[in-house]
Amino acid sequence: MARRIVIFDTTLRDGEQAPGASLTPPEKVEIARQLARLGVDVIEGGFPIASPGDAQAVKLIAQAVRGPVIAALARSLPKDIEAAAAALAPAKRKRIHVFLATSPIHRKYKLRKARAEILRQAVWAVTYAKRYAKEIEFSPEDASRTEPEFLHQVLEAVIRAGATTVNIPDTVGFAIPSQFGALIQGITQQVRNIDRAVISVHCHNDLGLAVPNSLAAIANGAGQVECTVNGIGERAGNASLEEIVMTLSIRKDFFKAVTGVDTTQITATSRLVSTLTGLIVQPNKAIVGENAFRHESGIHQDGVLKHAKTYEIMRPGDVGLGKSLLVLGKLSGRHAFSQRLRGLGFRLSKVEMDRAFARFKSLADKKKEIFDADLVAIVEEDLPAAQEIYKLAYVHTASGSDTVPTATIRLAREGRILEDAATGDGPVDACYKAINRLTGVTPELVDYTLQAVTKGRDAQGEVSVKIREKRVEVTGRGTSTDIIEASAKAYVNAVNKLLSSTTRRAYLGRRSAPHP
Ligand code: KIV
Ligand code: ZN
């Protein structure tokens, strides 16, 4: 039978200690509500003695959030325990989390206390906290650097005093997984009354080992893990909730352990925490990074399309993402390209597909990622205008603070190249004047809009223009990574419409098939 691992979320306490992350009480409540939807077992709402805001946040969470146990942190001091108890008063299920450092370095320099004194204070704190709550968690801070026999002595004493959970913090992220696993195993074997408490672990990520250490602890008998969404926290952060939960879920065969987390809420929770804390998730972060389910190599894309499990050990849907993203780029193959076009509703003949694929490859040489909007632009550009009287063959502009903006334009018409140049108020205006001279029309420019249809510095610009002549109004569109070229294309496109009787839109309406 699989063991049930308690997920203790400390995003709102240790996570909020991340430099630059500060949450208001209402923001904390919003995250706590989402953590309840996510299905964590315990929410550590804050450290009430630390600030009035923290005390208020814990209180609001205790009032508003039902389901998980609400915990608050306290040093092993009366005023801390009283503040935690007061903030937790409205909670239906509450836990006071008291801590006291036990390692030689903390005893000597920070607390200036001998072992016996630490032992006495820890027992006193648990006994005192027990007045206010049934569930008491005790953390010997810096446990991983504490002498094991002293650690065992402290744990046995606090359990006797009423601690229901004993948490083993790797406060400075110093532990190594096999060593940390052995520490937990030692506790299960040496602490005589350990069966009366749950062993918890709390790992920091200074060496990037917070998750491996937490998992090693679970494999060796820990029943609770403390973690944060997106792994945020002091310095390099805490163990990442999503990585632990998904590892337990995907490798149930190995850990034989389950959690109560609804993994489909992971993405939404990660995004909320990132938005409210302002801490951006690195793109390659496991589970919740932007690239976590994206495949760029052509070989991988082909494999995923044939069978997702070739390159995906979990489905994007497992963590609440819609679908995996095959990032189209210069390494992408025809299979992924045509599949995406079908998804966008395009049915192309072989010849059209060849042309579109060639255009895609040449765009991919200039642009790292090709988005759906790029693809639509590629396909639509390749479809002939209702009557493509003129085609833009060449555009060159010169402009600058001391230069009169000038454009040279070449248009192709029935196999002939026509060329002219003009000056204007700016390079786009100069282009339009040159096109007017070449085509013999002088429409009024009613509207001009430029937008990036894709992201990044190498984005494709899409220009839409509306022109009017003799009360006939038409629009034109052009896309390019060069906005002057996009502007010229849009204008030529509109002029063609003005000069022809049918519209390109009607043609497109017939060409695009519905989504499969
Ligand atoms: O890292 C740590 O030791 C802590 C304790 C208060 C549990 O955050
Ligand atoms: Zn911590």
Side-chain angles (χ1 to χ4, degrees), residues 15 35 62 174 222 237 331 340 391 399 495 504:
L35 290 170
F174 180 72
L331 300 176
R340 183 70 71 82
K391 191 170 165 56
S399 66
V495 168
R504 188 166 177 263

Side-chain angles (χ1 to χ4, degrees), residues 13-14 17 73 97 99 137 139-142 167 169-172 202 204 226 238:
R13 198 277 297 170
D14 219 347
Q17 287 176 217
L73 186 68
H97 178 190
F99 74 99
E137 174 167 330
S139 287
E141 191 188 6
D142 204 15
N167 181 42
D170 181 26
T171 303
V172 291
H202 174 112
H204 278 272
E226 301 199 356
N238 288 60

Side-chain angles (χ1 to χ4, degrees), residues 208-226:
L209 294 173
V211 170
N213 281 332
S214 305
L215 293 169
I218 290 171
N220 282 280
Q224 172 179 293
V225 268
E226 301 199 356

